[in-house]
């Protein structure tokens, strides 16, 4: 085996040796690359989208635990061996990692008795911001969030008071987009988590600097207000137009009418107070009554010596009278009614609707004498259509709404070709129409569309016929080539032709005599022609020539094989192996 290998290497040229070495080097390099790549594939992400501070802490913990890891996505993704993914996650969770951005209320897990009131307020704000960031980042469209809060500032002076404010910075996921409802949801989420914070004081910005929150009071430019109002008006017009089309399409058909809606919207808002007095109705508002009574007083005391002493126990009373007064005051006031009305912005001031109905076409005469007659809808039909539109848009004459319904022929109606002579009344195909025409007419195809369909069908049939003809020619050509190959394999000289495979895989013997060819059936004529062509080619085949050069080369190869039989045998084996591979 070793001798044969040395002999094979010795018989190789320098170019063959270089090619063999290059192929070997490429194979070794490819195998090494695949091995290393498969080794890296065995690493699975333990966490994705980490913040830089969380990634740094996790990497430090993995180094302390002697865990092999890989970094991807610029350090935002950490990969570990697939067999230890669950173990590493539990290990990191036991150490409170990752912390998902800023800390939340876990800031107060450790009690700090030396903290001042200012430090406690700052920590409370940091904790609240961290909790809000986690809540907002849990939304499906949001990848990361940053929240900044400013608490309300109280003061005894009204001009010194400041309301609470909040700013939210969002990083959306790739391809994600926040709708207006999602933005409003984030505004209310932040506003309800902070005391004294209103949704209109929450500003939401994405990473590209686009302001997502647009409020009616402050925070937006005049152009943004105009754009918002224009979108609101267009939305109302589309809604009313959809109501009109859904109402009229089943009655008139989608292609037999057109409608347009214009809505005037009042975007001014305010409040109105109304106080009404009714003079015919009065009620008692207040009543005040005071009463005073006066009566005579009889003498009292003990007469005698005791009453004459310097400090008598009692003295005789004197006779006097007590005065009594009574005052009554009743107030009446007429009844009154106080109303306070708040007008929101976006109220409809007026609606204008215009609708155009198509006209029917009737043809009189045939051929060049055909005359088009347009039949507009009746007044009763126009009135019914107007009533349907009024109900669909909420028509209010007191508001000044307008509805215009007119009948005009459409351009497609004017360009319509006259109906064929064999068509029925009203565009319906008669019994004498072609099946394809009836089928197309039943599916509401216009005459131009019917012509295009017929032309397309004819083109498809022509392509199929051309493909079948090309296949037939190719088959006939292959039979002729088979006949030529058979003629080359025949030995020279006259005589009967060998059997040629027929179309039904049967074999027959064909003689060169013309009488036998004429006796064949029509189904075997093509085989007879092929055999005749093969006989003709065999008769004109030139004789094989042997040159002097070929004889010398054959003699040299024979002598070389006798001198080195092992090399010749190895060469033959390589030829046979190459033939087998082919």
């Amino acid at each position: 085996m070793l001798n044969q290998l040395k002999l094979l290497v010795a018989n190789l040229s320098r170019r063959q040796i270089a090619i063999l070495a290059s192929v070997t080097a490429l194979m070794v390099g490819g195998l090494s690359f695949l091995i290393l790549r498969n080794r890296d594939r065995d690493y699975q992400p333990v966490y994705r989208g980490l913040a830089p501070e969380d990634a740094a802490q996790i990497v430090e913990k993995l180094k302390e635990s002697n865990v092999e890891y890989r970094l991807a996505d610029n350090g935002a993704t950490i990969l570990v061996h697939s067999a230890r993914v669950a173990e590493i996650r539990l290990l990191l969770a036991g150490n409170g990692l990752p912390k998902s951005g800023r800390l939340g209320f876990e800031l107060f897990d450790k009690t700090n008795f030396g903290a001042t009131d200012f430090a406690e307020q700052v920590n409370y704000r940091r904790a609240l911001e961290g909790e809000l960031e986690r809540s907002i980042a849990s939304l499906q469209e949001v990848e990361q969030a940053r929240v900044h809060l400013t608490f309300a500032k109280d003061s005894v002076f009204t001009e010194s008071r400041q309301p609470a404010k909040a700013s939210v910075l969002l990083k959306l996921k790739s391809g994600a987009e926040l709708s207006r409802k999602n933005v409003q949801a984030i505004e209310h989420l932040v506003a309800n988590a902070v005391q004294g914070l209103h949704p209109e004081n929450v500003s939401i910005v994405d990473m590209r600097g686009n302001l997502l929150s647009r409020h009616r009071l402050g925070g937006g430019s005049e152009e943004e207000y105009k754009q918002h109002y224009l979108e609101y008006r267009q939305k109302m017009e589309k809604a009313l137009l959809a109501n009109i089309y859904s109402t009229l399409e089943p009655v008139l058909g989608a292609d037999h009418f057109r409608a347009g809606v214009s809505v005037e919207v009042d975007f001014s808002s305010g409040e109105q107070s109304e106080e009404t007095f009714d003079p015919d109705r009065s009620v008692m508002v207040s009543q005040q009554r005071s009463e005073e009574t006066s009566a005579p007083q009889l003498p009292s005391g003990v007469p005698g010596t005791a009453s004459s002493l310097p400090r008598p126990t009692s003295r005789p009373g004197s006779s006097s009278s007590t005065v009594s007064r009574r005052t009554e005051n009743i107030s009446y006031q007429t009844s009154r009614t106080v109303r306070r009305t708040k007008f929101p912005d976006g109220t409809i001031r007026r609606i204008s609707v215009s609708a155009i109905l198509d006209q029917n076409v009737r043809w009189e005469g045939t051929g060049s004498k055909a005359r088009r007659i347009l039949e507009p809808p009746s007044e009763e039909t126009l009135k019914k259509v107007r009533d349907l539109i009024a109900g669909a848009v909420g028509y209010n004459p007191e508001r000044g709404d307008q509805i215009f319904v007119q009948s005009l022929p459409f351009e497609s109606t004017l360009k319509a070709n006259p109906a064929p002579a064999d068509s029925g009344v009203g565009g319906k195909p008669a019994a004498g129409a072609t099946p394809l025409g009836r089928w197309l007419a039943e599916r509401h195809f216009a005459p131009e569309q019917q012509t295009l369909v017929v032309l397309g069908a004819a083109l498809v049939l022509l392509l199929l016929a051309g493909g079948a003809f090309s296949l037939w020619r190719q088959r006939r050509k292959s039979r002729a080539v088979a006949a030529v190959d058979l003629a080359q394999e025949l030995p020279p000289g006259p005589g009967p032709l060998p059997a040629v495979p027929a179309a039904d895989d049967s074999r027959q013997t064909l003689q060169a005599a013309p009488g036998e060819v004429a006796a064949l059936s029509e189904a075997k004529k093509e085989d007879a022609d092929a055999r005749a062509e093969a006989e003709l080619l065999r008769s004109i085949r030139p004789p094989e020539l042997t040159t002097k050069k070929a004889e010398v080369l054959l003699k040299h190869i024979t002598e070389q094989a006798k001198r080195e039989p092992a090399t010749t045998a190895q060469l033959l084996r390589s030829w046979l192996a190459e033939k087998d591979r082919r």
Side-chain angles (χ1 to χ4, degrees):
M1 184 66 182
L2 185 59
N3 294 332
Q4 292 181 357
L5 184 60
K6 291 181 178 179
L7 184 60
L8 179 62
V9 174
N11 292 330
L12 295 177
S13 62
R14 293 183 178 178
R15 183 179 180 183
Q16 293 176 343
I17 294 174
I19 294 174
L20 183 61
S22 301
V23 171
T24 304
L26 289 175
M27 290 179 60
V28 172
L31 290 175
S32 302
F33 174 75
L34 291 177
I35 292 173
L36 294 176
R37 187 175 182 182
N38 289 332
R39 184 181 177 184
D40 291 338
R41 282 182 179 177
D42 200 21
Y43 281 79
Q44 298 296 329
V46 62
Y47 287 112
R48 296 179 182 271
L50 292 172
E53 54 271 16
D54 290 340
Q57 295 180 7
I58 291 175
V59 168
E60 183 179 357
K61 187 62 180 179
L62 293 178
K63 288 181 179 179
E64 293 178 359
S65 303
N66 295 325
V67 177
E68 190 174 358
Y69 64 91
R70 299 284 189 275
L71 296 179
D73 298 337
N74 296 326
T77 302
I78 298 179
L79 310 174
V80 297
H81 198 274
S82 59
R84 303 190 62 185
V85 172
E87 178 186 355
I88 299 303
R89 286 180 179 175
L90 294 177
L91 175 64
L92 296 176
N95 291 273
L97 296 174
K99 297 180 180 178
S100 301
R102 286 196 291 179
L103 297 176
F105 283 108
E106 59 267 19
L107 279 172
F108 299 98
D109 292 342
K110 297 180 181 180
T111 305
N112 187 6
F113 294 101
T116 61
D117 183 65
F118 176 77
E120 290 291 337
Q121 291 294 329
V122 172
N123 289 335
Y124 174 72
R125 186 178 65 182
R126 290 175 55 197
L128 189 57
E129 290 175 352
E131 294 293 337
L132 288 174
E133 289 177 5
R134 294 177 183 178
S135 301
I136 297 174
S138 62
L139 298 178
Q140 185 177 2
E141 295 84 0
V142 180
E143 182 176 352
Q144 293 181 2
R146 292 279 293 175
V147 179
H148 303 280
L149 300 177
T150 301
F151 291 156
K153 183 179 179 181
D154 296 332
S155 176
V156 295
F157 302 102
T158 305
E159 61 273 7
S160 300
R161 296 176 183 175
Q162 295 182 3
K165 299 179 182 178
S167 301
V168 181
L169 179 64
L170 301 178
K171 181 180 181 182
L172 304 180
K173 295 181 180 179
S174 178
E177 184 178 357
L178 286 178
S179 62
R180 188 176 298 276
K181 293 182 178 179
N182 299 136
V183 175
Q184 292 178 356
I186 295 175
E187 292 176 358
H188 286 79
L189 173 66
V190 177
N192 292 326
V194 181
Q195 183 179 5
L197 180 59
H198 300 283
E200 57 268 15
N201 292 333
V202 179
S203 300
I204 302 177
V205 185
D206 61 2
M207 296 296 291
R208 291 172 291 184
N210 298 324
L211 181 62
L212 303 181
S213 58
R214 296 182 177 90
H215 306 289
R216 291 175 292 179
L217 300 176
S221 62
E222 184 178 358
E223 294 296 331
E224 293 176 352
Y225 292 153
K226 291 181 180 179
Q227 183 67 22
H228 172 66
Y229 295 153
L230 181 60
E231 291 176 359
Y232 180 77
R233 177 180 176 181
Q234 292 176 351
K235 185 177 180 181
M236 295 189 64
E237 292 176 351
K238 289 181 180 179
L240 295 177
L241 195 61
N243 292 340
I244 294 175
Y245 271 81
S246 61
T247 304
L248 297 182
E249 278 184 0
V251 180
L252 303 177
D255 298 331
H256 296 283
F257 76 96
R258 292 292 183 271
V261 179
S262 177
V263 180
E264 294 183 11
V265 184
D266 186 6
F267 293 103
S268 60
S269 61
E271 294 184 0
Q272 180 181 0
S273 298
E274 182 180 358
E275 186 174 0
T276 306
F277 292 91
D278 189 359
D280 297 333
R281 299 175 60 185
S282 60
V283 295
M284 183 175 61
V285 178
S286 62
Q287 180 178 0
Q288 183 178 2
R289 178 181 298 177
S290 60
E291 185 175 352
E292 185 177 354
T293 304
S294 177
Q297 186 177 5
L298 298 176
S300 60
V302 179
T305 307
S307 300
S308 301
L309 295 176
R311 294 181 179 180
T313 56
S314 64
R315 293 185 179 183
S318 60
S319 177
S320 60
S321 62
T322 304
V323 180
S324 176
R325 294 181 181 179
R326 181 179 180 181
T327 305
E328 186 175 359
N329 186 11
I330 301 175
S331 299
Y332 292 90
Q333 187 176 356
T334 57
S335 63
R336 64 172 183 172
T337 304
V338 179
R339 293 187 181 90
R340 291 184 176 86
T341 307
K342 183 177 182 181
F343 297 99
D345 57 348
T347 57
I348 298 177
R349 182 182 298 173
R350 186 172 59 180
I351 299 176
S352 300
V353 183
S354 61
I356 302 177
L357 306 185
D358 194 9
Q359 298 182 1
N360 298 327
V361 179
R362 182 170 58 85
W363 296 89
E364 290 186 356
T366 58
S368 59
K369 297 181 180 180
R371 186 165 57 92
R372 180 192 296 110
I373 297 178
L374 299 175
E375 297 180 351
S378 61
E379 293 294 333
E380 183 180 359
T381 302
L382 296 178
K383 183 179 181 303
K384 291 181 178 179
V385 171
R386 187 180 184 279
D387 294 340
L388 291 175
I389 294 176
V393 301
Y395 175 72
N396 186 4
E398 297 179 357
R399 193 170 51 193
D401 296 350
Q402 298 176 350
I403 299 178
F404 302 96
V405 180
Q406 298 293 334
S407 176
L408 294 174
F410 288 0
E411 188 69 17
S412 59
T413 304
L414 297 176
K415 290 183 178 180
N417 296 327
D422 57 349
S423 63
V425 180
K428 297 182 179 179
T434 60
L436 181 60
R438 288 198 299 268
W439 184 81
L440 294 175
E442 290 175 358
R443 283 151 182 80
H444 307 288
F445 278 88
E448 298 85 355
Q449 297 176 346
Q450 295 181 13
T451 304
L452 293 176
V453 171
V454 172
L455 291 177
L459 181 60
V460 171
L461 292 177
L462 288 176
L463 291 176
L464 292 176
F469 180 71
S470 301
L471 183 62
W472 177 77
R473 289 192 61 184
Q474 186 69 23
R475 186 175 181 183
R476 186 172 182 180
K477 184 178 179 181
S478 62
R479 289 181 178 178
V481 171
V484 172
D485 295 340
L486 180 62
Q488 292 179 357
E489 295 177 0
L490 291 175
L497 293 173
V500 179
D504 54 351
D505 295 338
S506 63
R507 290 185 175 273
Q508 297 179 356
T509 305
L510 179 63
Q511 302 294 334
E516 295 179 1
V517 175
L520 294 176
S521 61
E522 294 295 334
K524 307 298 182 180
K525 281 186 178 182
E526 294 183 1
D527 296 340
D529 294 340
R531 290 193 178 99
E533 292 177 1
E535 175 64 19
L536 181 60
L537 292 172
R538 184 182 61 80
S539 62
I540 63 175
R541 182 178 179 182
E544 296 182 359
L545 300 178
T546 303
T547 59
K548 185 67 176 177
K549 183 177 180 181
E551 294 178 357
V552 173
L553 182 59
L554 180 59
K555 182 178 179 180
H556 179 71
I557 292 175
T558 303
E559 294 176 356
Q560 184 69 20
K562 290 179 180 180
R563 288 197 303 270
E564 298 180 359
T567 305
T568 305
Q570 182 65 27
L571 182 61
L572 292 176
R573 289 194 191 96
S574 62
W575 288 350
L576 292 176
E578 183 178 359
K579 184 176 181 182
D580 292 339
R581 286 195 299 270
R582 293 180 180 176

